[in-house]
Amino acid sequence: MAPPGGSRFPGSPMNMNAIAELESTGLKKPSHRFYYGWVILTVSFFTLFMALGIRFSFGVFYIAILKEYGWGRAATAGAFSLAMFSHAVFALISGTLIDRFGPRKLFPLGSIFLAVGLVAASRITAIWHLYAFFGVAVAIGVNTISFAPHMSLISKWFFRKRGLASGLMLAGVGIGTMTLVPVTELMIESFGWRSAFLLLAGLILGLVFPMTALFQRRSPEEIGQHIDGVNPGSVGAPPDLGEGLHEHIPSPPLPDEWTLRSVFSAKPYWYL
């Protein structure tokens, strides 16, 4: 007995009519080719796992360094504030760099910069070294392979599952922090804080650098795919964001040339 609304036989007239109707609407059958966006998501997860795990391990290193040199917290705590400032400032730059060079160039260079910063941090002998190496060099290296460029990247690969993809990617931050902080503490207890910095630098060069250089891509079109792995015009394809997205929403008049004054006087700026 045939199931309701269709036939169990692929070549039956009812199925043939359904296919003909689908083709008449201009839609194509969805592609079942493996979507490379999941590779991008996996590599991004691991990159954030390492980068943010290292960033939030600062407190463990900080205690070990103060214990060795006897420095006061008042003179050294500013290194963490400087690192936060470096993250904030360089986020603008890393966002621009990901658009210009793409992840396959930016992330390997960022991982090298981070590894160099960690090696330099292993040679800290003065308070200003702590500020320069951890507060600036390591912070810039982390930022280059951190939030801003990855959020830009994931939005190019996922549309319908963008929330899920972003959540899975950002889970690398929490899992990396939860994992690397105690591992770093164990390394410091076993080998010392200088060796711990070097071991983390080796992990960045040995894992993050080759993974990002080999597997990262700028967009699905770069490898002959489309966003979400669905060809345009297929069933389940995302809408064309370039056409008709705001056709029913009147846009406010925009100035011919943006100035600082016109930006601050625009309501959308304050909404954001």
Side-chain angles (χ1 to χ4, degrees), residues 1-269:
M1 181 178 179
S7 171
R8 69 176 65 181
F9 302 106
S12 67
M14 295 188 68
N15 279 348
M16 297 300 294
N17 291 337
I19 294 174
E21 183 179 352
L22 186 65
E23 291 177 347
S24 67
T25 60
L27 296 176
K28 305 173 185 177
K29 291 184 293 184
S31 173
H32 296 290
R33 178 184 174 188
F34 174 75
Y35 185 45
Y36 196 80
W38 299 111
V39 176
I40 299 296
L41 179 59
T42 302
V43 175
S44 298
F45 171 90
F46 185 76
T47 302
L48 291 180
F49 176 98
M50 292 298 301
L52 276 300
I54 290 173
R55 171 183 171 182
F56 291 112
S57 296
F58 172 76
V60 183
F61 282 107
Y62 182 69
I63 294 173
I65 293 172
L66 293 193
K67 184 177 180 180
E68 177 170 329
Y69 289 109
W71 296 334
R73 294 178 182 270
T76 55
F80 187 76
S81 299
L82 179 60
M84 293 298 100
F85 179 78
S86 299
H87 282 297
V89 172
F90 204 78
L92 303 174
I93 301 174
S94 61
T96 302
L97 293 177
I98 190 70
D99 290 335
R100 181 170 182 179
F101 298 107
R104 203 175 183 186
K105 292 181 179 179
L106 178 63
F107 291 163
L109 289 176
S111 62
I112 291 175
F113 199 97
L114 175 56
V116 170
L118 292 170
V119 171
S122 71
R123 312 310 302 168
I124 290 175
T125 57
I127 291 179
W128 73 267
H129 290 168
L130 183 66
Y131 281 79
F133 299 154
F134 194 89
V136 178
V138 172
I140 291 176
V142 167
N143 192 277
T144 306
I145 57 176
S146 187
F147 292 110
H150 276 98
M151 293 305 295
S152 171
L153 176 66
I154 289 299
S155 66
K156 292 181 174 67
W157 285 88
F158 293 92
F159 179 80
R160 297 195 181 278
K161 296 183 178 180
R162 186 174 296 168
L164 172 64
S166 299
L168 290 173
M169 178 192 68
L170 293 176
V173 178
I175 298 175
T177 303
M178 187 171 57
T179 304
L180 275 187
V181 171
V183 169
T184 299
E185 185 176 11
L186 181 62
M187 288 192 296
I188 292 175
E189 292 177 355
S190 303
F191 310 109
W193 63 269
R194 296 182 188 276
S195 297
F197 271 127
L198 295 176
L199 287 171
L200 290 176
L203 288 175
I204 292 295
L205 287 179
L207 296 176
V208 177
F209 174 80
M211 286 180 67
T212 54
L214 292 173
F215 299 114
Q216 281 289 9
R217 297 293 187 277
R218 183 192 295 267
S219 66
E221 290 75 16
E222 193 172 297
I223 58 170
Q225 292 187 340
H226 300 277
I227 189 169
D228 289 335
V230 182
N231 295 329
S234 300
V235 177
D240 186 353
L241 300 182
E243 297 181 3
L245 182 62
H246 303 291
E247 58 184 3
H248 301 299
I249 304 176
S251 300
L254 300 177
D256 295 332
E257 181 178 352
W258 285 104
T259 63
L260 188 62
R261 182 177 180 179
S262 63
V263 168
F264 281 111
S265 62
K267 290 183 179 179
Y269 171 80

